[in-house]
Each structure stands twice: as structure tokens, then as C-alpha cells.
Amino acid sequence: MEASIQQVARIAGTTSRTLRHYDAIGLLPPTRIGHQGYRFYDRDALVRLQQILLLRELGLGLETIREVLDAADDPVPALRRHLSWLDAEAARLERLRTTVERTITTLEEGGDLMAEEMLDGFDHTRYKDEVVERWGKDAYATSDAWWRGMSEAERADWKTASTTLAADWTAAAQERVDPASERAQALAARHVAWLGSIPGTPGYGTAPVKEYVLGLGEMYVADPRFAKNYGGEQGAAFVRDALARYAELHL
Amino acid sequence: MEASIQQVARIAGTTSRTLRHYDAIGLLPPTRIGHQGYRFYDRDALVRLQQILLLRELGLGLETIREVLDAADDPVPALRRHLSWLDAEAARLERLRTTVERTITTLEEGGDLMAEEMLDGFDHTRYKDEVVERWGKDAYATSDAWWRGMSEAERADWKTASTTLAADWTAAAQERVDPASERAQALAARHVAWLGSIPGTPGYGTAPVKEYVLGLGEMYVADPRFAKNYGGEQGAAFVRDALARYAELHL
DNA sequence: CTAGAAGTTGACGTTACGTCAAGGTCAAGG
DNA sequence: CCTTGACCTTGACGTAACGTCAACTTCTAG
């Protein structure tokens, strides 16, 4: 039993264009090609098409589908991989959601789009809840007061310094420097000194508390808002590793 | 203060290619272009770039970003729209997850990829839990026994009949027929008769129970596994409406 | 003066088709 | 026999947001 391209498309609930596409990429060649060039499909082809469409609905790419079907492989491992991909995507969306909501809140409280950026170097304010929970209300209140007490010019200077630091981190990370190298450790020293200059930091006046530094490092990696200051997740991981080593040796 | 394309890219944590792209699509033209064709950006451009990147991280498209920034519009509505898009995406992923898991289960229980398709017309087995809960263990057991008792040939015939019915529904839906029209109601009659021919269906022997038919209609729409048999959500909604009307008038 | 770093403009590749465009094939009806 | 209409064909462009050469020019430091 043979069917034309249009008939097959209707039966399977897709379009003739899709079938031509699958032919073009070699995923589903027609059973027979008439002297006029018309494509004809038999029952086996229809079965394969159904499998393709099934897998496609699960969200797999055509290339993956081809591998699964052609290898006559057990499709379960591929499906499991796909499952974890779905999970990763869901997690990403959830993070986006959180960020968007936070941005909306910021805007509605009177901030402009840049208000978020302006605080880039001043991580605490954006993590009020976490900071309060982990380091106490006083730490937050102190640094908050310090921040609010600065003049515009002072803030600008301070921001420049922190931006420069972040840029240097990013550059080092992009050059794939070893976190244990002198260069990275020098940056870590600057970073720690910078942290120590912020009133409210645990250990302010002497040197920041080791656990505080380690915790910050993790936060840089875990949260995209921080991570982006250091060149994404990779960069943040580099910062975290360098800071961790520095903290172990010197704090 | 001016900076070259490369410098700006590093500061903002992006690439020069991206900046050229933004120039090309008119999203962020450079402040000045040197006699050599080099692009130079000033502080304002950098601010705009930061805003662009911020919005981009939230998942907005460049076109949307342009609208938000150029209209000097309140970005909150756009962000809210984006938020609901994110929600829809999350829901979609969740559905996919469920389906993939179900497929894995099916495969591990010894079914092949087609086992899922083979049961297309025989909805009950795929909804064992729901069916049992709503219509009782007996209904499920009866229809299951009936299905297993058929020969391959009988199943093939039966499948053909149900496939044809689904195809007819799909065609009618695509032609935007009115669910109350004669054609749609004739299909509904066939559908109800078909349901009535399945042992285990509530009302088997006489006519299917009205609530059962209505419930099925909702399930067709709600679950993509059913919906696809009738040409997607739109098609399933058509089937549901036609069935609902038929059930009200005749059951 | 010359290497190397950085800049430029094309242009193709990516995903899975949708959507014309231009034209050949086939069955039915006048 | 001719037309109409349905169905088929092969291109080829468009999509989102750049990555990645390629080929060439310009700037900067030794």
C-alpha cells in the first residue's frame, strides 16, 4: 500500500514540507520515487515517521532522533539524557523568573533599569535576606548605612574600583590562568582587601572572616547576577577557586 | 572618554562580534566612527549596552529590548509579559518531562517505541490510573482483558477504524467546521458508537454514559498525547465541543 | 621597519521547517 | 482537445543571535 506525500502528511498530522525536509536530510527517504519525481511512502515508512514524530514531540532534535532510530539502539539512555536536559532548562527558567521578578520589584520601588547595575559592586544590598540570615542583622545594617552615607562622588569612585577588580578577574579567567598562580592570588588579595574595606563585612577592621570569603565565592558561582560580573559561571568558578585557596592560606 | 570595540566588549563582558551585530541591527550604534572605520563608544553607549545586556539576561529578545529602551517606555509591562511567557515555557517543559518519563517507563516495561503509538486508539491503557480512579477497577480490567484477548488481526482492524475516525476529525477541524454542524455531529455519533463498542466503557451495551463522554472530551484537550490524534489542541477542542453537544442532545 | 595585536567587512553555519515562486503532472468535465 | 484545479517538483529566502573563518587594513611597540 502506497501513499502520496500529501496523504501521508495528513495521516500523520504533519505537512508535506516537513516530509520533504526529512527526505532532504536523509532522515526519512520515501520508499519509492515515481518517474515524475513524486515521492511515495509505504507502511514501513509511515511507522518510521510515527516514531520520528513521537520522539520529536518529546523535544528531541532531529539529529538525536536519527541516531536513536538508526542505531536500533536502546532509546532509554538518550531519553534519560534528554530528561536531565529538560531539568536543566527548567532550572534555568526558574532562575530567570526570579531575576525578572526582582527586577520588576526594583523598578516599582522607584529604581530605574540602571539601579540594578549601580549596585553591582555592592553585593550585599541585593542579597539582603541571605546576608541577614547568614551574617546577622547588624552586618547588613552597618554596610547599608555605610553605603547610603556615601556621596555620589564617593560611590562613583568606589564603583570604579570594584568594576576594575571585576574586569581584571574576568580577563584572568578568560586567559585560563591557574587559580593557584601568582596572578590569581594577587587578585584574590586585592579582592579580600576590597571586602575588608566595606563596613559590615564580618571581620571588618582586621581581615574578613574565612568562611565569609568562601561563602561569597560560592554565591558568585551559584547566582548569575554575581557570575556575570566575573565573566559568567566559568569566570565565577575561577574567582571562587582562587579565593578559596587564598583564604585557606592567609585567613 | 572613548573606548574601542574590544575594550568595551571586555568591560561589558561580551564580544566585539556582538557589538558589531548590535550596530548592524541598529540596536546600539557606536558613538563615533573613525576615519579608518573603527567603532568608538562613549560612556552613554556603555550604559545603554549594560541595559541591553541586563535585559538580555532576563531572556528578552533583542527586538523587545529595542522597543523597551527606545520607547523610553515603562519596562514593567514588557517584563510582566515576559514573565508569563516564562511561566508558559515552564509549563511546557513540565509536560514534556511527564511524557518523557512515561515513555521511559513504557520502554522499560518491555514495550517498544511503537507500543505507545499502537495504543493510540485505545486510550484507556495509557491512563490506567485516571481511568481506575474515575470509572472503577472493573471498567479498566474489563477493557484491558478485552484488548488483550484480541488477535493481532483484530487489533489491526480495530486500530484502522479508530485511526480513520481520528483522521476524519482532524480533517473537519482543519476545515474549521462548526462543532454543531451536521458533519461534526455525525462524527460525534460515530465516535460515541465506537466508544460503546469497547467493553469496559461505562454504559457498554447500551450507550456510553454522558459524563464519561464529556470527561473524555476534556482529556483530549488537556493532554497532548490525545490532542495530537485530533490535530493538536485546536483539533481536540473541536472534538470536545462536538462531543459535548452530541452528549447533551442524545445521551 | 616589521611583527603582532586589533580593527574592518563579508559570508556561511546553526534549527526545523514556513512560505512564496515558477513550473510540471494528473484526473475530471465541457 | 482543452481547461481547471488539485497535487507534485525543485529552488531559495527568512527566522535568532551571534560564532567562526577568511582576507585585508591599521595601529602600536621594539
Side-chain angles (χ1 to χ4, degrees):
Chain A
M1 211 183 80
E2 261 181 354
S4 74
I5 194 169
Q6 197 76 244
Q7 293 171 327
V8 171
R10 262 198 299 266
I11 292 172
T14 183
T15 70
S16 59
R17 177 66 180 90
T18 298
L19 291 175
R20 271 193 286 276
H21 182 58
Y22 291 170
D23 182 16
I25 65 175
L27 179 59
L28 180 68
T31 314
R32 185 175 72 82
I33 296 190
H35 60 85
Q36 350 82 326
Y38 285 21
R39 295 172 176 79
F40 293 99
Y41 299 83
D42 65 6
R43 202 169 282 286
D44 286 347
L46 225 170
V47 168
R48 184 175 168 96
L49 175 58
Q50 308 265 29
Q51 293 175 324
I52 292 171
L53 295 178
L54 168 65
L55 262 5
R56 194 190 61 171
E57 273 167 41
L58 302 186
L60 280 76
L62 297 186
E63 202 47 49
T64 311
I65 293 177
R66 188 218 308 280
E67 287 164 23
V68 170
L69 293 184
D70 285 358
D73 228 3
D74 178 12
V76 170
L79 289 178
R80 285 201 188 288
R81 276 196 300 279
H82 185 55
L83 208 52
S84 47
W85 182 83
L86 286 174
D87 285 340
E89 269 298 291
R92 197 178 64 85
L93 285 183
E94 183 49 37
R95 283 202 305 273
L96 278 185
R97 240 204 88 93
T98 307
T99 310
V100 172
E101 282 189 328
R102 191 155 49 194
T103 303
I104 290 180
T105 305
T106 301
L107 290 173
E108 289 184 333
E109 284 174 352
D112 64 9
L113 259 187
M114 277 342 260
E116 300 253 325
E117 294 299 321
M118 303 251 295
L119 299 173
D120 261 6
F122 187 55
D123 306 331
H124 305 67
T125 55
R126 292 220 308 250
Y127 284 82
K128 182 174 173 177
D129 293 348
E130 290 92 325
V131 168
V132 167
E133 188 187 340
R134 296 182 64 167
W135 308 107
K137 256 201 294 200
D138 290 348
Y140 179 77
T142 306
S143 63
D144 194 48
W146 167 76
W147 177 254
R148 292 182 192 285
M150 279 199 281
S151 71
E152 277 303 324
E154 283 171 326
R155 280 187 212 181
D157 283 353
W158 194 81
K159 259 182 58 191
T160 302
S162 55
T163 302
T164 306
L165 181 56
D168 291 346
W169 273 122
T170 305
Q174 279 177 353
E175 292 169 34
R176 311 232 165 263
V177 169
D178 183 345
S181 68
E182 265 191 60
R183 177 164 167 203
Q185 289 302 300
L187 279 171
R190 269 174 67 195
H191 199 102
V192 168
W194 169 72
L195 286 173
S197 74
I198 303 171
T201 298
Y204 175 62
T206 61
V209 172
K210 180 173 151 188
E211 285 70 31
Y212 178 71
V213 174
L214 296 177
L216 266 186
E218 294 300 340
M219 263 161 69
Y220 291 165
V221 175
D223 197 294
R225 292 289 274 276
F226 284 118
K228 87 169 244 284
N229 291 333
Y230 304 108
E233 227 177 285
Q234 316 241 347
F238 169 70
V239 175
R240 176 197 57 191
D241 294 343
L243 281 180
R245 181 177 175 86
Y246 182 87
E248 292 297 343
L249 294 178
H250 305 289
L251 299 179
Chain B
M1 212 183 81
E2 259 180 355
S4 74
I5 195 170
Q6 198 76 245
Q7 294 172 328
V8 171
R10 263 198 299 266
I11 292 172
T14 182
T15 69
S16 57
R17 176 68 178 89
T18 298
L19 291 175
R20 261 182 241 111
H21 182 58
Y22 291 171
D23 181 16
I25 64 175
L27 179 59
L28 179 68
T31 314
R32 185 175 73 80
I33 295 190
H35 60 86
Q36 351 81 326
Y38 285 22
R39 294 171 175 81
F40 294 99
Y41 299 82
D42 66 6
R43 203 168 279 287
D44 286 348
L46 225 169
V47 168
R48 184 175 167 96
L49 175 57
Q50 309 264 31
Q51 293 176 324
I52 292 171
L53 295 178
L54 169 65
L55 261 7
R56 194 190 61 172
E57 274 168 39
L58 303 186
L60 280 77
L62 297 185
E63 203 45 50
T64 312
I65 293 177
R66 188 216 312 279
E67 286 165 23
V68 170
L69 292 184
D70 285 359
D73 227 3
D74 179 11
V76 171
L79 289 179
R80 286 201 188 288
R81 274 196 302 278
H82 185 53
L83 209 53
S84 47
W85 182 83
L86 284 174
D87 286 340
E89 269 297 291
R92 199 177 63 85
L93 284 184
E94 183 49 36
R95 282 202 305 273
L96 277 185
R97 238 205 88 94
T98 306
T99 311
V100 172
E101 281 189 328
R102 191 154 49 194
T103 303
I104 290 180
T105 304
T106 301
L107 290 173
E108 289 184 332
E109 284 174 353
D112 63 9
L113 259 186
M114 278 338 263
E116 300 253 322
E117 294 298 321
M118 303 252 294
L119 298 173
D120 261 6
F122 186 54
D123 306 331
H124 304 69
T125 56
R126 293 221 305 252
Y127 285 81
K128 182 174 173 178
D129 293 348
E130 290 90 327
V131 168
V132 167
E133 188 188 341
R134 297 182 63 168
W135 307 107
K137 256 201 295 200
D138 289 349
Y140 178 77
T142 306
S143 62
D144 194 49
W146 166 76
W147 177 254
R148 291 181 193 284
M150 278 199 280
S151 70
E152 278 303 322
E154 283 171 329
R155 282 188 210 180
D157 283 355
W158 193 81
K159 261 184 54 192
T160 302
S162 55
T163 302
T164 306
L165 180 56
D168 291 346
W169 272 122
T170 304
Q174 279 176 355
E175 292 169 35
R176 312 234 162 262
V177 168
D178 183 345
S181 67
E182 263 193 60
R183 177 165 165 202
Q185 289 302 301
L187 279 171
R190 267 175 68 194
H191 199 104
V192 168
W194 169 73
L195 286 173
S197 75
I198 303 172
T201 298
Y204 174 64
T206 62
V209 172
K210 179 173 152 188
E211 285 71 29
Y212 177 71
V213 173
L214 296 177
L216 266 187
E218 294 300 340
M219 264 160 70
Y220 291 164
V221 176
D223 197 293
R225 294 287 274 278
F226 285 117
K228 86 169 244 282
N229 290 334
Y230 303 108
E233 226 176 286
Q234 317 241 348
F238 169 71
V239 175
R240 177 197 56 191
D241 294 343
L243 280 180
R245 182 176 175 85
Y246 182 88
E248 291 298 343
L249 295 177
H250 304 289
L251 298 180

